[in-house]
Amino acid sequence: MVNERWDMVSFECGSVAVVASGERLVRICFECSPDNVYSSINCFHPKAEQGCQPLIDEGLKQLTEYFLGKRRIFTLPLDNGALTPFACKVQQALLKVPYGSVISYGALAIVAGSPRAARAVGGVMSSNPFPLVVPCHRVVNADGRIGQYSAAHGTKTKAWLIDFERAS
């Protein structure tokens, strides 16, 4: 088994950790504070060791560029092995939603090839292991309301991210 490593950086809207195993990222933890990141790492990856490696450094660099408004697309290798085939389809469809745009859960379900699965898309978004990199914050309710967000400060952060991208 490959050892998992992680490291984090903090931004205005929260703290973000990148967890890697081998040559792929296995999780992005986007939490309110460093203490919350430690708890999340302990919950999902209790044997992971904090420390640098080239992939983690690249992940933190790309996240920093994103929050500086200098990056719109992430180019990081993700380990989707724990995702269902449906979740993989939804993730691939979501990656096509342009920076600064939003899409409804229902519209994303259609793009993913499952037009009646809006609620299931919501479930995939709530368990997204790669927030920010796989931009679940860009998915909103059919009436345009923000909807839920499971990372950092919840809907407050989701609204902030949508506004941040639109302003960039």
Side-chain angles (χ1 to χ4, degrees), residues 60-124:
L60 295 176
K61 175 181 167 258
Q62 288 190 28
L63 286 161
T64 299
E65 291 169 349
Y66 171 82
F67 281 112
L68 292 173
K70 297 179 179 180
R71 176 171 291 274
R72 293 175 176 224
I73 297 171
F74 293 93
T75 57
L76 299 165
L78 306 177
D79 182 348
N80 291 322
L83 298 180
T84 66
F86 175 73
C88 286
K89 283 187 202 176
V90 171
Q91 180 177 305
Q92 290 305 311
L94 179 56
L95 288 169
K96 295 175 184 171
V97 176
Y99 180 94
S101 301
V102 294
I103 189 170
S104 71
Y105 293 96
L108 185 57
I110 291 168
V111 174
S114 299
R116 296 180 184 209
R119 286 182 189 235
V121 165
V124 171

Side-chain angles (χ1 to χ4, degrees), residues 4 37 53-54 122 135 150 157:
E4 293 180 338
V37 167
Q53 64 146 297
S150 59
T157 299

Side-chain angles (χ1 to χ4, degrees), residues 108-162:
L108 185 57
I110 291 168
V111 174
S114 299
R116 296 180 184 209
R119 286 182 189 235
V121 165
V124 171
M125 296 299 98
S126 69
S127 61
N128 177 11
F130 308 108
L132 301 169
V133 174
V134 177
C136 54
H137 61 276
R138 295 182 191 156
V139 186
V140 298
N141 292 335
D143 62 6
R145 288 180 296 129
I146 295 294
Q148 297 297 312
Y149 192 56
S150 59
H153 299 276
T155 56
K156 177 181 171 185
T157 299
K158 185 174 182 176
W160 186 91
L161 289 167
I162 290 168

Side-chain angles (χ1 to χ4, degrees), residues 18-82:
V18 175
V19 184
S21 179
E23 299 299 317
R24 299 214 174 274
L25 297 185
V26 293
R27 183 167 298 274
I28 302 287
C29 296
F30 184 22
E31 302 291 346
C32 298
S33 69
D35 286 343
N36 293 114
V37 167
Y38 290 121
S39 294
S40 186
I41 296 291
N42 191 45
C43 177
F44 291 107
H45 302 277
K47 294 184 179 182
E49 296 178 7
Q50 187 172 7
C52 294
Q53 64 146 297
L55 179 56
I56 292 171
D57 293 342
E58 181 61 24
L60 295 176
K61 175 181 167 258
Q62 288 190 28
L63 286 161
T64 299
E65 291 169 349
Y66 171 82
F67 281 112
L68 292 173
K70 297 179 179 180
R71 176 171 291 274
R72 293 175 176 224
I73 297 171
F74 293 93
T75 57
L76 299 165
L78 306 177
D79 182 348
N80 291 322

